[in-house]
């Protein structure tokens, strides 16, 4: 019973987080970031993700959703490096390309016979998101006072590093559970 409840809560939370990330990235990229329309879109998409997470659909295609989200994030970083933090434009094609490439990788991974890949992707998602927030916003800004403005490119190194570490922790934990 508790395992089933934990899985349902994790599904709902993961759906909401994925929705939030998609709404945030697309809202930030399509509208002026200073208008806060991105925050409205992030909230709406988080609610949609929460509803999707309440269905078994999220876990059925979890690797595709997660890989497409990672592709979107990497495309967002690439767009910002090349064209800057300017809404719209040709950079949208880079982001769409990132989603398509990430989704294709997710489809390929979904066919993998072992089921630990989803755990690794979830570890990368949660540790990347929370770790990036803790390092950039809490530690560097609030505690040490080193950073006063946050940008996509200034936050990306800590998010990416924490995501890789989170995936490695999940993989190592999964491997130790199989051995024991």
């Amino acid at each position: 019973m508790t395992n089933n409840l934990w899985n349902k809560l994790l599904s709902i939370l993961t759906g909401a987080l994925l929705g939030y990330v998609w709404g945030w990235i697309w809202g930030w990229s399509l509208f002026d970031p200073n208008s806060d329309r991105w925050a409205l879109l992030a909230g709406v998409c988080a609610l949609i993700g929460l509803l999707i997470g309440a269905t078994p659909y999220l876990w059925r295609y979890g690797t595709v959703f997660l890989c497409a989200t990672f592709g979107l994030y990497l495309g967002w970083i690439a767009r910002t490096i090349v064209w800057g933090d300017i809404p719209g434009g040709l950079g949208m094609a880079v982001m769409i390309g990132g989603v398509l490439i990430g989704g294709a990788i997710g489809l390929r991974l979904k066919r993998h016979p072992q089921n630990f890949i989803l755990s690794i992707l979830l570890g990368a998602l949660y540790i990347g998101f929370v770790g990036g927030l803790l390092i950039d916003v809490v530690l560097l800004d609030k505690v040490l006072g080193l950073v006063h403005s946050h940008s996509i490119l200034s936050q990306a190194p800590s998010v990416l590093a924490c995501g890789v570490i989170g995936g490695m922790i999940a993989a190592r934990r999964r491997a130790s559970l199989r051995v024991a």
Side-chain angles (χ1 to χ4, degrees):
M1 166 91 172
T2 56
N3 190 24
N4 191 20
L5 178 63
W6 168 249
N7 287 339
K8 188 53 105 175
L9 288 174
L10 181 63
S11 177
I12 290 170
L13 183 62
T14 301
L17 180 58
L18 289 174
Y20 175 78
V21 168
W22 278 73
W24 174 22
I25 291 173
W26 282 113
W28 193 278
S29 300
L30 294 172
F31 307 112
D32 178 15
N34 296 320
S35 71
D36 287 340
R37 284 191 245 170
W38 66 269
L40 177 63
L41 188 58
V44 169
C45 289
L47 290 175
I48 293 168
L50 186 133
L51 293 174
I52 292 171
T55 69
Y57 187 72
L58 180 71
W59 290 143
R60 196 171 304 143
Y61 299 101
T63 55
V64 177
F65 287 140
L66 289 164
C67 287
T69 302
F70 296 153
L72 175 63
Y73 184 70
L74 293 174
W76 188 35
I77 293 170
R79 175 199 72 103
T80 306
I81 289 171
V82 175
W83 288 282
D85 197 10
I86 299 169
L90 190 58
M92 298 295 105
V94 172
M95 292 171 57
I96 292 169
V99 168
L100 294 175
I101 291 169
I105 291 170
L107 278 172
R108 178 105 170 128
L109 291 174
K110 185 179 181 316
R111 294 185 187 115
H112 198 274
Q114 304 205 358
N115 61 0
F116 65 89
I117 294 171
L118 186 60
S119 299
I120 294 170
L121 295 174
L122 284 171
L125 174 73
Y126 280 104
I127 302 297
F129 185 82
V130 175
L133 172 77
L134 290 175
I135 290 173
D136 190 61
V137 176
V138 176
L139 180 66
L140 294 178
D141 184 4
K142 303 298 181 199
V143 174
L144 299 176
L146 298 174
V147 177
H148 299 291
S149 67
H150 304 277
S151 69
I152 298 163
L153 298 179
S154 71
Q155 291 178 333
S158 60
V159 171
L160 293 172
C162 288
V164 168
I165 291 168
M168 289 170 48
I169 290 170
R172 189 168 183 92
R173 184 170 185 268
R174 255 331 245 207
S176 69
L177 289 175
R178 278 186 287 160
V179 171

